[in-house]
Amino acid sequence: MAGDDGPVEVETLGGLRFVLPGLENGLRRVVDAAVRRADIDLQVDMEIDSVTAIKQLVEEGMGSTILPSAPSTARCARAG
């Protein structure tokens, strides 16, 4: 999924290790709600509130992330 700009099915998120913003982040709340509805166990290894730091960690292979690419879309990237 690295570099994909299209939508990602929530069911594909299970089994990945994530680096995401903290629980108070709006996007994180949306992601958490979506995985709860789909009964997916999201493995969040790191919570970091810096998009720059999240992107760097994903580029270094430390996990996957979901980041906004524009106000109305989201981007999912996976290391590796």
Side-chain angles (χ1 to χ4, degrees):
M1 284 184 227
D4 285 353
D5 290 333
V8 176
E9 297 295 326
V10 70
E11 293 81 11
T12 65
L13 302 179
L16 298 176
R17 298 172 61 186
F18 282 91
V19 180
L20 293 175
L23 294 171
E24 69 285 345
N25 179 278
L27 176 62
R28 172 67 184 275
R29 291 179 187 172
V30 170
V31 170
D32 286 348
V35 296
R36 267 194 312 274
R37 281 192 306 274
D39 198 27
I40 303 288
D41 183 29
L42 198 65
Q43 182 176 342
V44 180
D45 288 348
M46 288 183 254
E47 293 180 343
I48 301 172
D49 290 320
S50 165
V51 172
T52 301
I54 290 172
K55 289 167 58 175
Q56 183 176 354
L57 288 165
V58 170
E59 288 172 1
E60 292 174 3
M62 299 300 293
S64 301
T65 196
I66 300 170
L67 296 174
S69 61
S72 62
T73 63
R75 180 175 180 181
C76 181
R78 178 172 55 191

